[in-house]
Amino acid sequence: MTPPAGTTMAQALNAALRDALDGDERVLVFGEDVGPLGGVFRVTDGLTAKFGEDRCFDTPLAESGIVGFAVGMAMGGFRPVVEMQFDAFAYPAFEQIASHVAKMRNRTRGRVALPIVIRIPYAGGIGGVEHHCDSSEGYYAHTPGLKVVTPATVADAYSLLREAIDDPDPVIFLEPKKLYWSKADVALPARTEPFGRAAIRRPGADATVVAYGPTVPVALEAAEAAADEGWDLEVLDLRTIVPFDDGTVVASVRRTGRCVVLSEAAGFAGVGAEIAARVQERCFHSLLAPVLRVTGFDIPYPPPMLEHHHLPGVDRILDALDRLQRDDEPDTRHLLAGGAA
């Protein structure tokens, strides 16, 4: 079924689940309140009514049990898609994810794969109370054996979720909560670029802004504001954190010579730090300024009234651009890189 024009990200995710359930009887959807309620964000709305309680069903409030159950179901030939309801609710399940979901294929020398999708509404921007907002992508990205995906557009929400369900290995599917109600005129089903391909959402020449998930719209807003100050920013949407698209990131930064990495998560030892290190290693001779990060602060996620101070916004991105000292240095990339920049 094709939702009407002005499709929300939540509707696109719902359509992806609906089409996957319709196309493969091995697909099961379960988690807290995903059944008759349709999920707290209505992503599973109507699925139990259409496919029955054997295909889309509620579970007890026990995240470790949900993922453990999914491991057994996947070993039995099913393709479970589970919902963690909120990001910080997923931590009780992390032992199952790190010890079993991520390692089963390796532990069995490739004989047992686990085609599990773990959907996690994540990050901030909705004024959630404690345990309802967090940026946990670093934990999963640091765990070998997991793919880590986070859409920023409506079309990607549909396409990447369908690819995740079809994947033979486990996928952590991080859904930016504040983008659930973002809209786009997208005809579904839609297929976009596969895992491991970043997308340039806005071409530019002066600096590359690397973003993913909830920070992509912020980066685009900052690029528009920066244009008033004479900056032509390129905005790059990673789409998948694991696998990481080194090629597109490197090509962009070598072209612009400057890089700012955006992340809502705490900066220390996070995904933003990994991206900055990779850019430094691969683009050193093309860089005209240090790689900068604009991230959440190194604190526990704040209460709603302080959330807007914590999240990287347009002003903090513009401040980072000022630190890139664009006008203070000549363009010496052709000299430093032997003309290869």
Side-chain angles (χ1 to χ4, degrees):
M1 181 179 71
T2 301
T7 302
T8 67
M9 179 177 284
Q11 288 175 318
L13 294 166
N14 178 273
L17 292 171
R18 187 183 298 269
D19 289 351
L21 285 162
D22 205 30
D24 188 343
E25 64 181 11
R26 298 173 300 171
V27 176
L28 305 174
V29 174
F30 52 93
E32 298 163 7
D33 297 324
V34 304
L37 179 66
V40 292
F41 296 103
R42 300 299 183 265
V43 171
T44 57
D45 188 35
L47 299 183
T48 299
K50 178 174 175 59
F51 297 101
E53 294 184 350
D54 290 338
R55 304 283 309 282
C56 179
F57 51 91
D58 289 333
T59 65
L61 303 180
E63 287 77 13
S64 181
I66 293 170
V67 175
F69 182 57
V71 171
M73 296 296 285
M75 294 177 72
F78 292 93
R79 306 183 78 89
V81 182
V82 304
E83 179 180 297
M84 288 288 102
Q85 198 166 70
F86 287 94
D87 31 34
F89 291 8
Y91 297 137
F94 192 73
E95 193 280 330
Q96 289 283 355
I97 295 171
S99 296
H100 305 293
V101 174
K103 295 178 179 174
M104 189 62 72
R105 181 184 282 279
N106 183 268
R107 181 184 298 156
T108 61
R109 306 298 186 266
R111 291 190 295 273
V112 178
L114 294 181
I116 299 172
V117 178
I118 301 175
R119 295 181 39 246
I120 304 176
Y122 92 117
I126 64 167
V129 295
E130 189 175 16
H131 297 309
H132 287 71
C133 286
D134 209 346
S135 296
S136 49
E137 63 267 34
Y139 300 121
Y140 305 110
H142 191 66
T143 304
L146 302 175
K147 294 184 176 73
V148 183
V149 178
T150 177
T153 70
V154 174
D156 265 354
Y158 180 92
S159 184
L160 292 174
L161 183 53
R162 290 299 307 274
E163 185 174 352
I165 296 171
D166 291 340
D167 199 282
D169 290 306
V171 177
I172 305 296
F173 198 86
L174 300 171
E175 300 170 2
K177 291 193 285 285
K178 70 179 182 182
L179 299 185
Y180 271 135
W181 313 119
S182 61
K183 290 184 177 180
D185 293 335
V186 175
L188 300 178
R191 282 296 188 177
T192 58
E193 292 294 306
F195 287 180
R197 300 273 185 84
I200 295 176
R201 301 297 182 197
R202 184 187 191 280
D206 293 336
T208 299
V209 180
V210 180
Y212 56 88
T215 60
V216 173
V218 181
L220 290 170
E221 185 181 355
E224 292 302 315
D228 295 335
E229 300 181 10
W231 284 92
D232 184 18
L233 298 185
E234 182 150 297
V235 176
L236 194 151
D237 174 7
L238 287 180
R239 304 174 68 248
T240 60
I241 298 172
V242 181
F244 186 86
D245 186 356
D246 279 301
T248 300
V249 174
V250 167
S252 176
V253 176
R254 285 182 178 173
R255 187 169 58 251
T256 64
R258 298 173 176 84
C259 181
V260 177
V261 182
L262 298 189
S263 171
E264 287 192 6
F268 184 80
V271 170
E274 171 64 23
I275 297 170
R278 296 172 86 89
V279 171
Q280 171 78 4
E281 291 169 353
R282 291 159 175 77
C283 304
F284 179 78
H285 293 293
S286 300
L287 289 172
L288 297 170
V291 181
L292 300 181
R293 290 171 287 159
V294 181
T295 72
F297 298 113
D298 295 335
I299 59 172
Y301 201 90
M305 67 179 64
L306 299 176
E307 187 182 42
H308 65 286
H309 294 296
H310 177 72
L311 300 177
V314 171
D315 288 343
R316 289 175 60 195
I317 297 169
L318 296 180
D319 287 344
L321 291 174
D322 287 341
R323 290 157 55 200
L324 290 178
Q325 301 176 338
R326 180 186 53 161
D327 294 327
D328 293 339
E329 298 180 15
D331 186 349
T332 56
R333 280 174 290 175
H334 63 291
L335 299 176
L336 294 171

